[in-house]
Amino acid sequence: MKFYSPIALLATAATASAWSTATPRSLSAVRSIRTIPATILNSYSTAASGEAETESFRLGFTEGDSTISPWHDIPLKGSADGTYNAVIEIPKMSKAKMEVATKEANNPIAQDIKKGKLRDYHGPIFWNYGCLPQTWEDPNEEHPELKCFGDDDPIDVVEIGSKALAMGTVAEVKPLGVIAMIDDGELDWKVIAIATDDELAKEYNDIDDVPDAVKDGIREWFRWYKTPDDKPLNGFGFDEKWLDAKEAGEVIEETHVAWKKLRSGDTEAGKLWTGKE
């Protein structure tokens, strides 16, 4: 199946905050800088190890002289009320499916592997994509309305700003809304947010401020992106509607509470690395 789904067609939408005319970057280009500052607001740094575009590649995080976990040690809350820190795993207009390795010590960013092969999207993602630290979608907890369980990962964030953010960036973001994706029967929330230092941040304060082309584009990209692998379309709860910024904050807080229980040992971690013995 060729990648001529609505995802490709949506890429023609003329919205600077969502789409870019830049060509998709290879993973080696994304990784060309060995050590970069992760944020100007904190002392986090990242360092790459292993060989680019292989199973050995890792992007680790440090704070000062100490190795840290981007999942457990970077705080959820940002510097201003209503803002959060987002760890960028996949830069805008790239294809490698990078993610915080939740089962590895210190949770570096690594490329996902499926059936023994490094995983890439079949087309570029048009936004910066990552996760919110100190959150967890509990696979033991059934959502009371949607009747499905969490996907066992930190909550995902789609940053829709005008700039491509490097892998490993810790960006302070403002949540604008959230959508409940159902992926293979699991609940996989997608928070839509914008970096607080982006030129569009003053204009975007809630989900209704986001252009329909952006909201529809994100939903359809995530609906279709697995179909080239002969996977079914993903679905969405709440009649496929985007919930607003207030509801996004409530969902984030629920996943933060779940993370606290995981980290404290009140919830069984299984194979997840939590930094706790």
Side-chain angles (χ1 to χ4, degrees), residues 7-267:
I7 304 171
L9 299 177
L10 286 163
T12 62
T15 306
S17 62
W19 313 110
S20 170
T21 57
T23 56
R25 291 173 293 167
S26 68
L27 188 53
S28 58
V30 171
R31 297 169 177 166
S32 61
I33 300 174
R34 296 295 291 179
T35 304
I36 58 174
T39 176
I40 61 173
L41 299 176
N42 301 289
S43 57
Y44 310 124
S45 295
T46 57
S49 62
E51 185 178 348
E53 300 181 8
T54 72
E55 294 182 18
S56 68
F57 177 84
R58 296 293 183 274
L59 189 73
F61 287 70
T62 59
E63 184 174 18
D65 296 328
S66 301
T67 300
I68 64 167
S69 160
W71 183 17
H72 302 301
D73 296 324
I74 294 174
L76 170 62
K77 299 292 180 68
S79 63
D81 186 46
T83 66
Y84 300 88
N85 290 313
V87 177
I88 302 303
E89 299 162 313
I90 307 174
K92 180 180 186 176
M93 295 307 296
S94 61
K95 294 169 59 177
K97 180 65 173 71
M98 310 302 294
E99 60 184 18
V100 168
T102 57
K103 297 175 183 178
E104 291 187 24
N106 298 308
N107 311 122
I109 292 177
Q111 190 166 359
D112 189 25
I113 297 175
K114 190 93 170 185
K115 296 181 179 179
K117 295 183 179 180
L118 293 172
R119 188 174 168 202
D120 288 276
Y121 294 134
H122 291 268
I125 189 166
F126 303 109
W127 315 272
N128 298 298
Y129 188 56
C131 66
L132 299 182
Q134 298 187 347
T135 64
W136 183 52
E137 297 195 54
D138 188 350
N140 308 297
E141 189 74 24
E142 184 181 49
H143 190 278
E145 294 180 64
L146 301 175
K147 302 301 180 184
C148 53
F149 297 83
D151 71 347
D152 203 23
D153 282 323
I155 195 169
D156 296 322
V157 60
V158 183
E159 195 281 323
I160 62 170
S162 55
K163 297 175 291 187
L165 301 176
M167 184 196 313
T169 297
V170 180
E172 188 172 277
V173 301
K174 175 172 56 174
L176 306 170
V178 68
I179 196 165
M181 189 174 90
I182 312 298
D183 182 353
D184 198 22
E186 295 178 333
L187 179 57
D188 188 4
W189 291 104
K190 305 295 181 187
V191 176
I192 186 172
I194 191 160
T196 56
D197 64 353
D198 193 272
E199 60 190 26
L200 292 166
K202 292 181 180 180
E203 299 178 28
Y204 293 174
N205 295 294
D206 212 329
I207 194 63
D208 289 338
D209 299 325
V210 181
D212 288 342
V214 179
K215 292 181 288 190
D216 294 347
I218 293 171
R219 186 182 59 243
E220 295 311 310
W221 196 95
F222 283 103
R223 186 196 306 278
W224 286 85
Y225 82 103
K226 288 186 176 181
T227 58
D229 295 318
D230 295 323
K231 299 288 186 180
L233 297 173
N234 286 323
F236 299 89
F238 301 109
D239 296 322
E240 303 197 346
K241 294 178 181 177
W242 284 94
L243 308 183
D244 64 18
K246 179 178 180 293
E247 291 169 299
E250 293 170 354
V251 170
I252 293 168
E253 181 58 30
E254 288 173 3
T255 61
H256 183 50
V257 170
W259 170 84
K260 287 180 179 179
K261 293 178 180 178
L262 173 70
R263 194 86 195 282
S264 68
D266 289 345
T267 301

